[in-house]
């Protein structure tokens, strides 16, 4: 299968895309198999101590949101059903980075929620993220002409729980998204500036801003100067820029997924990850009559 922008994408880049798509689908498999927390885990214990909201599901939802966004790209770039000579034509560049923006935000919220140092801080962060979300729901219901009384009652209960929390930060507002992203990166000893930069570029692309046009694309060599200093030319997604950003975000996502599993599962995390990758690999089209799949299964010890 070939990818077409201004021309075919370099095979080395396509290989990186195939590897990224496999990782995305492997993460999806792990999430599907890890929905309910074990009782003898950090989040499992907190579920019992505080049952008004489920910290494991709030944490998992960020990962699921990120996975939903990335799966859209994977199904476009590396579809599971392919035919010989298939060519995928891409139009526009903004939607790629809009999806990546959603993934960064989902991973960041999950990682921030799961990086608490103790149970009191974990509960405080749960209350902050839940209060923010329910507050937005109340505003949306009012704007839609719906009675927000039920939602406001839920928010009042959460506000009261926050006021009674042993951690005083529970009553604070949820940090701004850029601060969540920086905190998430720092918690994994990753570069917060790198991920802030990725998020700002993706957000600007999603919002139709001007500067990502030059930042995130490559252009044909010919141009029509239709007025002094203004040129009309054709551009398309920069494959190298997209690929490196995608790989960075998947690194963040892998770490966020592992931390979630550390808080919710008593099973062997390496085994969970290997099994998820193997299930994803088994449904991925192969060009080599199964040679790569066989080698992957051997390396994973699961063939």
């Amino acid at each position: 299968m070939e990818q077409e922008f201004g021309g075919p994408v370099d095979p080395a880049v396509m290989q990186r895309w195939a590897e990224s798509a496999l990782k995305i689908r492997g993460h999806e498999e792990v999430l599907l198999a890890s929905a309910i927390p074990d009782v003898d885990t950090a989040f499992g214990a907190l579920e019992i101590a505080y049952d008004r909201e489920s910290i494991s599901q709030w944490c998992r939802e960020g990962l699921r949101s990120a996975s939903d966004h990335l799966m859209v790209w994977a199904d476009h770039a590396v579809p599971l059903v392919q035919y010989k000579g298939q060519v995928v034509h891409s139009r526009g560049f903004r939607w790629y980075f809009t999806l990546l923006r959603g993934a960064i935000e989902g991973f960041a919220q999950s990682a921030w929620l799961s990086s608490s140092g103790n149970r009191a801080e974990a509960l405080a962060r749960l209350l902050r993220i839940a209060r923010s979300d329910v507050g937005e729901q109340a505003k949306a219901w009012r704007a839609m002409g719906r009675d927000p009384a039920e939602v406001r009652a839920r928010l009042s209960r959460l506000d009261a729980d926050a006021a009674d929390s042993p951690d005083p930060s529970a009553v604070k507002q949820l940090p701004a998204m850029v601060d969540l992203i920086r905190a998430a990166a720092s918690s994994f000893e990753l570069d917060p500036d790198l991920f802030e930069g990725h998020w700002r570029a993706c957000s600007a692309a999603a919002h139709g801003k001007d500067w990502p046009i030059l930042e995130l694309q490559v252009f044909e060599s010919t141009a029509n100067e239709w007025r002094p200093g203004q040129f009309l030319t054709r551009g398309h997604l920069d494959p190298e820029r997209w690929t490196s950003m995608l790989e960075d975000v998947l690194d963040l996502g892998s770490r966020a997924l592992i931390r979630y599993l550390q808080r919710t599962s008593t099973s062997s995390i390496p085994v969970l990850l290997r099994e998820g990758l193997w299930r994803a690999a088994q449904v991925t089209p192969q060009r080599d009559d199964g040679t790569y799949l066989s080698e992957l299964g051997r390396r994973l010890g699961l063939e």
Side-chain angles (χ1 to χ4, degrees), residues 22-38 43 55-71 102-103 106-107 110-111 114 250 252-265 268-269 271-280:
L22 179 58
K23 181 177 287 188
I24 290 166
R25 292 186 171 116
H27 287 179
E28 175 83 354
E29 291 286 342
V30 174
L31 278 173
L32 290 173
S34 307
I36 301 174
D38 294 331
F43 280 179
I55 189 169
S56 67
Q57 298 311 305
W58 276 98
C59 187
R60 183 171 179 267
E61 196 59 29
L63 298 175
R64 289 185 66 242
S65 173
S67 180
D68 286 349
H69 284 86
L70 293 175
M71 285 288 286
F107 287 142
S110 178
S114 65
L250 283 176
L252 176 70
S254 295
R255 294 166 191 254
L257 175 60
I258 289 170
R259 181 178 285 161
Y260 162 78
L261 294 172
Q262 289 172 335
R263 303 292 189 269
T264 60
S265 179
S268 167
I269 294 175
V271 169
L272 291 174
L273 295 173
R274 288 200 301 270
E275 289 178 343
L277 187 63
W278 178 238
R279 289 193 298 272

Side-chain angles (χ1 to χ4, degrees), residues 192-218:
D193 289 339
L194 175 70
F195 286 93
E196 178 181 342
H198 286 348
W199 176 74
R200 290 192 182 281
C202 290
S203 297
H207 293 155
K209 302 300 184 182
D210 181 69
W211 66 271
I213 294 173
L214 297 177
E215 185 80 18
L216 303 174
Q217 292 192 102
V218 292

